Amino acid sequence: MIGFETIGNATVTVFDDMPILCTDPWLTGSPYYGSWSHQQKIPKTQLDNIKQCKYVWLSHGHPDHIDEESIKYLTNATFLIPDHYGNRIYNHFHKNFKTIKVKSDKWLELSHNIRVKSFSDFNQDAALVIEIMKRDILLNVNDGSLLGWKHTIKKLIKSYKNRFLLKLVSWGDADMINLYDENNKFILPPYSHKPPLGKRYNQLLRNFGCNFAIPFSSMHKYTREDSVHMNEYVASINEHKDGFTEENGHLLPAYVIWDSEKEDYSKIKTEENKCNFSKPESFGDNYSDQLDEEDKKLILNYFRGFEKLSCYFDFISFKVGSREYNVKLSNRKNNSGIVFEAPRNSLIHSIKYDIFDDMLIGNFMKTTIIGKKSLHPYFTPYVTKYGDNGGARSLEDLNEYFNYYKLNTANYWIDLLQYKSEAIIRELAGDRSNVVITAKSIKDRFF
């Protein structure tokens, strides 16, 4: 067969008579310290196809896209790594695997009928365009935003006959939503009213000029006891079609086989993953554990290393066990700050290995914002994206970081403008306001 199939969370497997390429393989295990699991089991046929792939493309550093337990099944493959600033992912894989750093917006031929273009962006995400038989084109956005590349990619894909959009569509649970205000009131996620997801696909097909969409990068559920309540905001595999109309194209099943020679598809039959809820202790997390002096020193040095934080927040506090540890960031009065309430083991592990986003997205850590409306724009991207993933912590490093993307992104200034505009709105109105939701809709329509 020449074509592709989708399975798992964010994996598309591409064939040219044999498995050639797979993307972001999360095959087994529970990332985010045991908080996430697959909604559906991966059938043996699809699992075997992934394991036989010659190439593996890894978009970005989140563990549902780069899963260490899954990599052991792919040791014979060549890993394709986007040209992210800092080369963190490339350097990690280059030590032990056959690895190619893929320059953005350059075709890479993988077989007679398959070639790809990768696009890395200033949010340390990446998208992949996959051409099949010079007729079909897949736009794998996964859970990114095509920052700096929207216009370039739209122009690239518009001439193909069959144009497939693979992009996260959800009610926001794939981000940090375990958020509270300073009165200890849970802040409802922006899409807690659960609008029909199919309407979003209608809009995306029109915006990107695609004629097929496939639910993607959103097929997880929470299975850790202290995050399981977040399943209230997780859409089931069947809810993606609610409200969809075919005015702009077709919505295919989430798990699908597309035959490019026949230009037809079939649905992959899957079984629900009925896994048991896991206790935090299964992953080394005991809520009674206290921070020791070395832990406090590690936390202090880590967060004070992000120079931009002090422009926005006065302090960051950590409630661990029965005690609270405060990190002062500025000489101002403690009017604005963040309180993280988390178990010691995963917290210290995330800081030690520069993966603090795993704590946020795992959604078992309680996050309280004091004196501000949002973690954007001066916490989340500066700590987890530019800092942890890009290695840019000081103001000097950040200047070099953005200069890199100015030179290596086609539409940098256009998308930076909309990114900063959205950040300002979040700062003033908060992540969860109707103003932010409206701004996102306008951004998607016109940028």
Side-chain angles (χ1 to χ4, degrees), residues 54-220:
K54 294 178 63 177
Y55 299 95
V56 179
W57 180 78
L58 303 174
S59 62
H60 64 288
H62 286 156
D64 57 312
H65 297 264
I66 301 180
D67 177 58
E68 292 290 347
E69 290 186 44
S70 302
I71 297 302
K72 63 185 179 184
Y73 298 110
L74 301 161
T75 54
N76 293 323
T78 297
F79 287 85
L80 307 179
I81 311 298
D83 56 342
H84 294 293
Y85 177 90
N87 293 316
R88 178 177 182 179
I89 300 171
Y90 176 81
N91 291 339
H92 176 79
F93 279 87
H94 188 59
K95 294 176 183 176
N96 301 305
F97 303 98
K98 291 177 287 185
T99 310
I100 298 173
K101 188 197 301 186
V102 186
K103 185 172 178 57
S104 291
D105 200 18
K106 299 291 183 183
W107 284 115
L108 177 64
E109 189 169 309
L110 303 184
S111 72
H112 179 68
N113 289 300
I114 311 295
R115 63 175 182 165
V116 299
K117 270 191 180 186
S118 182
F119 299 86
S120 62
D121 67 43
F122 59 81
N123 205 41
Q124 289 283 312
D125 289 322
L128 187 70
V129 168
I130 306 169
E131 180 193 85
I132 304 176
M133 295 179 64
K134 300 189 183 301
R135 182 180 60 210
D136 297 345
I137 198 82
L138 282 75
L139 172 53
N140 176 0
V141 185
N142 57 86
D143 59 6
S145 301
L146 303 182
L147 293 172
W149 293 111
K150 290 187 184 74
H151 295 274
T152 297
I153 291 175
K154 288 180 183 180
K155 184 178 180 180
L156 170 66
I157 68 176
K158 68 179 183 180
S159 62
Y160 290 84
K161 181 179 181 182
N162 301 310
R163 305 173 303 281
F164 300 86
L165 177 64
L166 285 65
K167 186 184 187 307
L168 178 145
V169 174
S170 72
W171 292 319
D173 75 284
D175 204 346
M176 193 280 295
I177 59 171
N178 195 17
L179 188 64
Y180 291 75
D181 64 21
E182 52 197 281
N183 296 314
N184 199 34
K185 182 181 178 181
F186 178 63
I187 303 174
L188 288 171
Y191 300 103
S192 59
H193 59 296
K194 301 180 182 179
L197 295 178
K199 291 185 177 181
R200 177 67 173 148
Y201 289 105
N202 292 335
Q203 182 185 46
L204 289 170
L205 284 170
R206 180 180 67 248
N207 293 346
F208 284 99
C210 293
N211 52 359
F212 293 93
I214 301 175
F216 203 67
S217 198
S218 54
M219 309 305 161
H220 65 273

Side-chain angles (χ1 to χ4, degrees), residues 145 150-151 154 207-208 413-419 421-422 439-447:
S145 301
K150 290 187 184 74
H151 295 274
K154 288 180 183 180
N207 293 346
F208 284 99
W413 290 110
I414 295 174
D415 287 340
L416 181 66
L417 174 62
Q418 62 91 358
Y419 183 79
S421 298
E422 182 181 324
K440 283 178 175 291
S441 178
I442 294 172
K443 175 197 73 175
D444 290 340
R445 188 178 182 92
F446 294 105
F447 286 94

Side-chain angles (χ1 to χ4, degrees), residues 147-311:
L147 293 172
W149 293 111
K150 290 187 184 74
H151 295 274
T152 297
I153 291 175
K154 288 180 183 180
K155 184 178 180 180
L156 170 66
I157 68 176
K158 68 179 183 180
S159 62
Y160 290 84
K161 181 179 181 182
N162 301 310
R163 305 173 303 281
F164 300 86
L165 177 64
L166 285 65
K167 186 184 187 307
L168 178 145
V169 174
S170 72
W171 292 319
D173 75 284
D175 204 346
M176 193 280 295
I177 59 171
N178 195 17
L179 188 64
Y180 291 75
D181 64 21
E182 52 197 281
N183 296 314
N184 199 34
K185 182 181 178 181
F186 178 63
I187 303 174
L188 288 171
Y191 300 103
S192 59
H193 59 296
K194 301 180 182 179
L197 295 178
K199 291 185 177 181
R200 177 67 173 148
Y201 289 105
N202 292 335
Q203 182 185 46
L204 289 170
L205 284 170
R206 180 180 67 248
N207 293 346
F208 284 99
C210 293
N211 52 359
F212 293 93
I214 301 175
F216 203 67
S217 198
S218 54
M219 309 305 161
H220 65 273
K221 60 182 177 180
Y222 292 89
T223 53
R224 184 169 147 148
E225 286 185 349
D226 49 357
S227 64
V228 68
H229 57 292
M230 292 303 171
N231 281 324
E232 181 179 351
Y233 308 106
V234 175
S236 70
I237 194 170
N238 293 319
E239 287 178 300
H240 287 261
K241 61 187 178 184
D242 292 348
F244 182 78
T245 60
E246 295 194 343
E247 59 197 70
N248 298 315
H250 306 281
L251 180 63
L252 299 186
Y255 302 136
V256 68
I257 299 171
W258 173 268
D259 188 320
S260 292
E261 294 172 291
K262 297 178 181 178
E263 295 188 76
D264 199 7
Y265 72 90
S266 59
K267 182 179 179 180
I268 299 173
K269 294 181 179 180
T270 58
E271 179 184 347
E272 184 182 354
N273 186 22
K274 296 180 179 179
C275 47
N276 295 323
F277 298 137
S278 300
K279 294 183 178 298
E281 291 82 2
S282 301
F283 304 95
D285 277 339
N286 190 319
Y287 276 88
S288 64
D289 289 347
Q290 305 286 339
L291 296 174
D292 60 29
E293 293 306 313
E294 287 300 314
D295 295 337
K296 294 176 182 178
K297 188 182 299 182
L298 181 71
I299 292 171
L300 179 69
N301 292 336
Y302 176 78
F303 282 101
R304 282 190 175 173
F306 300 101
E307 291 188 15
K308 197 71 173 179
L309 285 183
S310 62
C311 298

